[in-house]
Amino acid sequence: IPLLPAEAVLLVATPALVARMALRQSVGVRRDALNYSILAWMLFATIRLPLDMNRFGVIAVRDYAMIYYAAFFFLAQAFGDHIASSALLKKSLTAAFVALMPVVISILVAPDFLVDNLTWRGIPIIFHKSDLIATSLAAGFFWLWTRWDKTHRRIWLLASAASLLLIGGMASPRAGMFAVGVTTVLWLLTGRWRIAAYQAGVVAAACLIALAALSFTGKDLNTSLPYSMYEHAISIFDPRGTGTYINGESGDLGGNNQFRLIWWRDVIEDTLAANPVFGQGFGSDLSTRFLADYDLLSDEAFATRSPHSMIVTVFGRMGLLGIAAWIAVSASMAAMAWRLLKRGEPDGMGLASIVLVVWLSSCFGVVLEGPMGAVV
């Protein structure tokens, strides 16, 4: 069956969960705000899907994927009810975040090596996207830090430091940087300041080493990777893209900000004009007006369907009702994460931080508009 990995897992795991519920005469839904809000989110989208399929055909199912990936929540919740399965899930996260780092180093050293050589029947086993890797590294930093907090083995300090520093090596690290910043603030609000001091120390040490290397080799600071990291960080506070950026490795940061701002404005205005309550629907092309406004009509290579923001995508496809459901889910997740952070148990803090990083990154990228972050 030609299914992507996420869909293949759902094909097997969802019937298995239903069968388990039937055998145990249990309901796989807990009576809390988080479960109910996710169910409401999925129900509204599922009711409108047949109507959208009549209008747009099977492409509507592709856009609906951002909804059915929420089924992974109920699968993970079932895992959490079983001690051995929960332990396996956490070990898998640890293994994944550790294995990610040498892969990232390989990508930075030889960008095409894995795509060209690590294949199965011509299909790359690892196919990377810079902003999604940055989000995974950001989530990995918090998880690996909590492994140190749990065991006090210094190897986890080194691993978390490596994960943090590698974020800056990505071509599109800003969503990950933003998520690290906000999540760290939440840690500080619970009285845990060591993680912020550790971040500052790691970044400062790395910058000093880089500056020493630059002075030794005589290379220009403005063309260096540390300066590119600095420009990426300050561009977060330049939403209109009016700043001046001089590092070639940074890319067109001002233009990228304008790219997103114009697309978001177009989607919001079109949805308000067409159908503000129910949205434009799954299968609708949210890029039609943007391509004209941004002078991309002649760019045949442009095939992106989602405007790099889960919030804007939800409003564009599901309207005000969809945004209301999104806010309910977000508030329920935030409350759960905050309780775990205040409780202070390492596993709970690590899992909550992973969720926060992915969720925050999705506000400025395609993290939840595909399986890469949605499955996590």
Side-chain angles (χ1 to χ4, degrees):
I1 301 176
L3 289 176
L4 294 171
E7 280 71 14
V9 171
L10 287 176
L11 180 68
V12 174
T14 304
L17 179 61
V18 172
R20 177 184 177 185
M21 289 161 49
L23 289 171
R24 296 189 176 186
Q25 296 183 342
S26 62
V27 178
V29 179
R30 295 180 184 174
R31 297 179 179 179
D32 60 31
L34 183 55
N35 278 256
Y36 288 150
S37 60
I38 292 176
L39 282 175
W41 154 267
M42 298 179 75
L43 180 62
F44 169 55
T46 304
I47 289 173
R48 69 164 303 151
L49 179 62
L51 300 174
D52 292 335
M53 289 186 68
N54 286 335
R55 294 170 59 202
F56 302 110
V58 72
I59 195 69
V61 178
R62 174 183 172 182
D63 293 338
Y64 174 73
M66 72 178 191
I67 305 298
Y68 68 64
Y69 288 138
F72 278 105
F73 167 79
F74 298 101
L75 296 173
Q77 189 167 249
F79 262 67
D81 283 337
H82 188 248
I83 294 176
S85 297
S86 178
L88 175 61
L89 181 61
K90 286 180 278 192
K91 289 178 181 177
S92 298
L93 285 170
T94 302
F97 286 132
V98 170
L100 176 63
M101 288 184 282
V103 171
V104 171
I105 293 171
S106 171
I107 292 169
L108 292 174
V109 174
D112 298 325
F113 178 79
L114 293 176
V115 176
D116 292 340
N117 296 283
L118 188 61
T119 62
W120 180 73
R121 295 185 178 179
I123 302 171
I125 302 300
I126 297 177
F127 192 82
H128 65 276
K129 194 172 186 299
S130 174
D131 51 347
L132 296 165
I133 288 181
T135 296
S136 295
L137 288 168
F141 163 74
F142 288 100
W143 181 253
L144 296 171
W145 168 271
T146 59
R147 299 310 88 196
W148 170 79
D149 197 19
K150 186 174 182 178
T151 65
H152 292 286
R153 294 177 181 172
R154 293 181 180 178
I155 186 66
W156 297 122
L157 288 177
L158 294 175
S160 61
S163 191
L164 179 67
L165 293 175
L166 285 171
I167 297 172
M170 296 294 96
S172 303
R174 292 182 296 173
M177 288 178 169
F178 171 78
V180 168
V182 175
T183 305
T184 301
V185 169
L186 293 176
W187 277 61
L188 289 172
L189 291 176
T190 63
R192 292 170 176 83
W193 55 268
R194 283 191 301 178
I195 191 170
Y198 178 72
Q199 289 176 14
V202 167
V203 173
C207 288
L208 288 174
I209 293 172
L211 289 173
L214 288 172
S215 63
F216 181 76
T217 58
K219 292 185 178 180
D220 184 7
L221 171 64
N222 293 337
T223 63
S224 66
L225 178 60
Y227 198 81
S228 173
M229 295 167 60
Y230 162 74
E231 288 195 332
H232 275 106
I234 62 172
S235 70
I236 296 173
F237 305 98
D238 179 28
R240 295 187 176 275
T242 57
T244 301
Y245 306 97
I246 59 177
N247 189 294
E249 296 295 324
S250 300
D252 186 6
L253 295 176
N256 189 269
N257 284 357
Q258 293 174 9
F259 173 93
R260 294 168 190 253
L261 206 62
I262 292 171
W263 198 350
W264 296 348
R265 181 204 65 196
D266 287 350
V267 171
I268 292 170
E269 290 180 353
D270 286 351
T271 304
L272 289 173
N275 194 338
V277 177
F278 298 105
Q280 300 182 53
F282 300 109
S284 62
D285 190 349
L286 299 182
S287 65
T288 302
R289 176 182 167 188
F290 167 69
L291 291 175
D293 287 349
Y294 208 72
D295 195 24
L296 287 171
L297 288 173
S298 59
D299 187 355
E300 297 180 357
F302 187 91
T304 307
R305 295 183 54 79
S306 300
H308 293 69
S309 170
M310 188 64 169
I311 300 172
V312 178
T313 297
V314 168
F315 180 67
R317 301 209 181 282
M318 302 170 68
L320 292 173
L321 284 178
I323 281 293
W326 168 264
I327 291 173
V329 173
S330 299
S332 301
M333 291 178 67
M336 178 75 73
W338 180 245
R339 286 198 298 270
L340 289 170
L341 291 177
K342 286 201 301 181
R343 188 180 299 169
E345 192 274 323
D347 285 348
M349 295 188 74
L351 293 169
S353 298
I354 291 172
V355 169
L356 288 169
V357 166
V358 173
W359 206 252
L360 290 164
S361 297
S362 75
C363 296
F364 306 99
V366 296
V367 180
L368 286 180
E369 293 161 342
M372 298 75 67
V375 171
V376 180

